[in-house]
Amino acid sequence: LFSGSCALLDYFTGWHGWSVDFVFPIACLVVLFSMGLITKVLQLEPSEYLFYLIQGCAFGILPLLLFIAGIIKVPAPSVLCGGVSFLFFMALMIFRPGEVRREMHKKFRL
């Protein structure tokens, strides 16, 4: 909601691109870290949060793809966001492979 509002504000003020250059990648990182923090504070079971954390990782790679497509002019926030999201995803695949596989089978009925 916040990223969309900033994109609309950027659009109506002449589209300078600050919303996709800075707000979107930073918002993705904030969501990713807040999901990790909430799972630790509330002591949730992996089945309660794992699928959503994977979705957050996939969503966090989107700014990197926008940079590769040439839409983003300032690379640092997007590359940082894409890198952190990829590392989060790889950490899940390395440290919790069985639980990730189980959740994917359960959610996608594989």
Side-chain angles (χ1 to χ4, degrees):
L1 187 60
F2 178 72
S3 296
S5 301
C6 288
L8 284 174
L9 181 64
D10 193 13
Y11 176 76
F12 287 121
T13 59
W15 191 257
H16 302 287
W18 57 266
S19 60
V20 291
D21 285 342
F22 297 105
V23 175
F24 185 60
I26 292 171
C28 289
L29 282 176
V30 167
V31 167
L32 195 60
F33 282 114
S34 66
M35 287 171 62
L37 181 68
I38 289 169
T39 59
K40 290 295 181 190
V41 170
L42 296 179
Q43 299 176 348
L44 298 175
E45 294 294 320
S47 63
E48 296 174 337
Y49 70 86
L50 205 54
F51 183 70
Y52 302 107
L53 195 57
I54 292 171
Q55 285 179 336
C57 291
F59 192 64
I61 294 174
L62 189 59
L64 185 61
L65 296 176
L66 292 175
F67 171 67
I68 292 170
I71 297 171
I72 292 179
K73 299 172 198 78
V74 181
S78 298
V79 171
L80 178 69
C81 180
V84 168
S85 296
F86 181 73
L87 288 176
F88 251 80
F89 181 72
M90 291 311 296
L92 287 174
M93 296 305 289
I94 291 170
F95 296 116
R96 298 190 182 265
E99 294 167 346
V100 169
R101 191 175 306 111
R102 192 173 325 117
E103 284 302 309
M104 291 298 114
H105 285 282
K106 188 167 48 170
K107 296 292 182 187
F108 292 118
R109 309 216 188 317
L110 297 174

